[in-house]
Amino acid sequence: MKFWQHLLLIGLALFGLFEGRAQTSASEDVLLKTLQHQADSLIQVYKKTSMPAYFLSYRVDKEEQFRMSALSGSLTDNQSSRQSVLTIQIRVGSEEMDNFYTIDNCSDEVPQTKTIKLPLDDNELIIAQIINLETEKAYREACQQYVQALSELSDRQYTHEKKGEYVKPLPYAYYEMPIESIFFDETEVRHLMESATGDILQNVECAAVFQCDNNRKYFVSSEGAAIVQNFTHTSLQLELTALSENGIPVHLPEKYDVEFPNELPSAESLKRDVQKMESTLSALRKLEKTSESFCPVVFSNEAAGVFWQQSLVPMLTRSLVRDGENLLPSDVSVVSDPLSSLSDDCRLSGSYRYDDEGYEGQKRKLVDNGMLVEALYSSTCNADYFLSNGHGRAVAGQQPARVPANLMVTTSRPHSDEELWSALRQEILKQGKPFGYWVEAASISDDGNSIQPLIMWKVYADNRKPDEPVYGVEFVGTP
């Protein structure tokens, strides 16, 4: 019997994550009703002040997580957590000029907020008290930011013409029923972790991290928006580590991302994957670290996803980019699509119906045949672009910033890995280099600032010399 076929069997010690009182409709959701009432009443209060507010929104992130770690056949960590975090956005001034207006057009910084915790039991009275107090604090901070923005405008005699004014999100009403519990057998999860990491070659360390998240996002505004969405995600991360023959650590990770725990591979399937990883790691351990060189590099189709993440996303989110710039080769186009949840039977984790500012998620073509036609915008990104295109997203407790959804990179001239390998050899000959590099698999470094090749080949110009695997390569500079 497969591992996940044990789920929900009567008599097993089931772990129920994210339990809560059953709700049958939005009208019974205490937290939603409380947020709506506070937004409706408090905006009327702050509209009448000497420095009036014209927009108020509340976002609550109810986050629940179960996490388990194992190392070399033994459990090292087992914990669950729950939190409910409030984020307030209040706009003082007018649609033409408010506290989110930034003078420096190259800055993407937005006012950050502290973490405001709400009670987990949705106590209406306590939640209302917290909202009243924190909204007053947020209003005072917004007034200070607005005065500072006005002062900078006056000091600099800033005359730059904006491309528009702030457009409030439409009052969407959307409600998803809560996922009351995600059940899985904790004993079986532990067995899976220990089994996957235990039967390993000598001098090889295998670590595994299982994580299951169930997040529920609330968004309400003084304009009447009431949006409640669920986001679930389960991941299993494996990583094999060993020392090379010259004493340098060699790492080889693998990650499985699904929506629910029952979609993860079986224990038998994981064991087969670990055995393949062991074979690759054993070969890498025997290699000498490659020396510094300047030569052609080509990424496989799989590894190219990491390259695009590291190089393309900053270009699409920075303030300095302008429509009409040639960013990429003329055969490459890019789309950001929050509305698709599957691609070739692969689950996409960047899907959502509404963003964290209450705007409807929009599929947008960002690059068309190499030319930038539109960047990613949120309503807080900078002075020029108050109009969001549905890409304002944030972690709990922070103001939204522009973040891509599911980023789709396509080309009108697709090539297989075999064709790319051949093209690499031709480029090596063209540049007169003795060799080049083929990146088969890669990841982002822990600090997020560079690309780390995991599996890489040295491809020689002379095809009579066999290509050989290498490790220890680091890419320096911006791709």
Side-chain angles (χ1 to χ4, degrees):
M1 179 179 287
K2 290 185 178 180
F3 164 72
W4 293 109
Q5 290 176 339
H6 290 289
L7 296 176
L8 302 176
L9 293 181
I10 298 176
L12 290 178
L14 295 178
F15 187 93
L17 187 64
F18 323 137
E19 296 182 355
R21 185 182 67 83
Q23 298 166 356
T24 58
S25 67
S27 62
E28 294 185 1
D29 193 315
V30 174
L31 177 58
L32 178 61
K33 291 194 299 181
T34 304
L35 293 172
Q36 288 177 300
H37 175 74
Q38 295 302 113
D40 292 341
S41 58
L42 290 179
I43 189 61
Q44 299 304 321
V45 173
Y46 292 108
K47 278 183 176 179
K48 300 175 182 177
T49 58
S50 58
M51 194 172 292
Y54 70 94
F55 179 80
L56 173 63
S57 70
Y58 297 121
R59 193 182 83 245
V60 173
D61 294 80
K62 299 189 72 172
E63 300 181 332
E64 304 171 292
Q65 181 184 97
F66 177 81
R67 183 181 176 91
M68 186 180 291
S69 303
L71 179 65
S72 299
S74 298
L75 196 70
T76 58
D77 185 39
N78 185 357
Q79 59 181 315
S80 61
S81 62
R82 300 173 63 199
Q83 68 171 358
S84 184
V85 179
L86 170 70
T87 305
I88 302 170
Q89 184 179 116
I90 186 167
R91 289 181 175 265
V92 172
S94 66
E95 287 87 345
E96 293 78 18
M97 171 68 186
D98 66 20
N99 50 298
F100 281 90
Y101 191 96
T102 58
I103 306 301
D104 190 353
N105 199 41
C106 66
S107 173
D108 280 317
E109 295 183 1
V110 296
Q112 302 298 299
T113 59
K114 65 178 182 178
T115 301
I116 306 170
K117 296 290 187 70
L118 296 180
L120 297 175
D121 60 358
D122 289 348
N123 186 302
E124 183 176 1
L125 179 59
I126 296 178
I127 291 175
Q129 291 175 344
I130 294 174
I131 290 177
N132 285 339
L133 176 62
E134 297 298 337
T135 303
E136 176 64 20
K137 294 178 183 179
Y139 169 73
R140 293 179 181 275
E141 292 175 1
C143 290
Q144 293 175 357
Q145 294 159 1
Y146 182 53
V147 170
Q148 181 179 356
L150 290 174
S151 175
E152 291 180 358
L153 277 173
S154 176
D155 292 343
R156 294 193 186 190
Q157 296 182 342
Y158 189 71
T159 59
H160 181 74
E161 182 181 354
K162 291 194 307 177
K163 292 186 178 181
E165 60 187 35
Y166 173 68
V167 178
K168 301 174 186 177
L170 296 175
Y172 295 108
Y174 178 75
Y175 189 83
E176 294 181 357
M177 296 301 297
I179 300 175
E180 298 298 339
S181 300
I182 296 179
F183 285 106
F184 53 87
D185 186 343
E186 185 178 1
T187 302
E188 292 290 351
V189 174
R190 177 171 181 167
H191 170 72
L192 177 70
M193 303 279 285
E194 294 173 343
S195 173
T197 62
D199 189 14
I200 302 297
L201 294 175
Q202 188 177 4
N203 298 325
V204 176
E205 182 180 270
C206 183
V209 178
F210 167 86
Q211 184 168 310
C212 185
D213 296 279
N214 183 25
N215 299 335
R216 188 162 169 82
K217 286 179 175 284
Y218 289 73
F219 178 87
V220 304
S221 75
S222 54
E223 301 299 304
I227 301 168
V228 184
Q229 304 175 91
N230 298 317
F231 297 89
T232 56
H233 181 251
T234 301
S235 66
L236 178 62
Q237 171 92 35
L238 299 175
E239 183 171 35
L240 269 62
T241 304
L243 291 178
S244 67
E245 293 183 351
N246 56 4
I248 298 176
V250 181
H251 305 278
L252 194 61
E254 182 66 58
K255 190 176 183 182
Y256 308 86
D257 289 288
V258 295
E259 187 171 9
F260 296 105
N262 62 345
E263 299 170 358
L264 284 171
S266 66
E268 293 79 7
S269 178
L270 285 177
K271 272 201 159 186
R272 289 193 296 269
D273 289 349
V274 170
Q275 289 171 354
K276 294 178 183 177
M277 294 170 66
E278 284 181 315
S279 298
T280 303
L281 190 68
S282 296
L284 293 175
R285 293 175 65 187
K286 300 175 183 178
L287 304 175
E288 293 185 4
K289 186 174 181 179
T290 187
S291 58
E292 180 178 341
S293 60
F294 298 90
C295 60
V297 178
V298 172
F299 287 73
S300 71
N301 283 296
E302 178 181 347
V306 176
F307 174 85
W308 290 121
Q309 178 184 350
Q310 185 69 10
S311 60
L312 181 59
V313 171
M315 288 192 289
L316 296 174
T317 57
R318 72 175 191 254
S319 296
L320 290 177
V321 295
R322 287 291 179 265
D323 297 352
E325 283 190 42
N326 288 313
L327 294 183
L328 300 171
S330 59
D331 60 306
V332 176
S333 297
V334 181
V335 170
S336 181
D337 184 7
L339 305 179
S340 296
S341 57
L342 288 174
S343 177
D344 296 330
D345 296 326
C346 177
R347 180 179 178 268
L348 304 177
S349 59
S351 306
Y352 56 90
R353 186 158 180 173
Y354 298 92
D355 73 2
D356 290 328
E357 295 181 302
Y359 294 95
E360 195 169 22
Q362 303 175 40
K363 179 179 179 179
R364 311 295 290 189
K365 175 168 279 191
L366 308 177
V367 178
D368 187 20
N369 296 324
M371 181 176 292
L372 178 72
V373 293
E374 184 177 2
L376 297 172
Y377 301 132
S378 71
S379 70
T380 57
C381 66
N382 61 54
D384 280 349
Y385 300 97
F386 270 172
L387 179 59
S388 171
N389 57 12
H391 286 81
R393 305 170 70 192
V395 298
Q398 300 295 325
Q399 293 292 343
R402 43 188 172 177
V403 177
N406 298 310
L407 208 58
M408 312 291 191
V409 181
T410 59
T411 176
S412 58
R413 296 188 299 164
H415 297 284
S416 66
D417 282 350
E418 291 76 15
E419 292 172 328
L420 292 173
W421 192 297
S422 177
L424 171 60
R425 197 180 300 277
Q426 294 175 17
E427 185 64 26
I428 295 169
L429 293 171
K430 180 180 178 181
Q431 294 188 20
K433 301 289 186 179
F435 61 84
Y437 289 122
W438 169 264
V439 183
E440 183 176 330
S443 67
I444 301 296
S445 62
D446 292 338
D447 61 11
N449 294 326
S450 62
I451 298 174
Q452 291 184 331
L454 302 174
I455 302 176
M456 194 165 179
W457 294 80
K458 179 183 283 188
V459 179
Y460 289 95
D462 185 355
N463 57 13
R464 293 172 296 180
K465 189 173 184 179
D467 302 326
E468 59 187 37
V470 295
Y471 81 97
V473 176
E474 296 180 358
F475 294 124
V476 179
T478 303

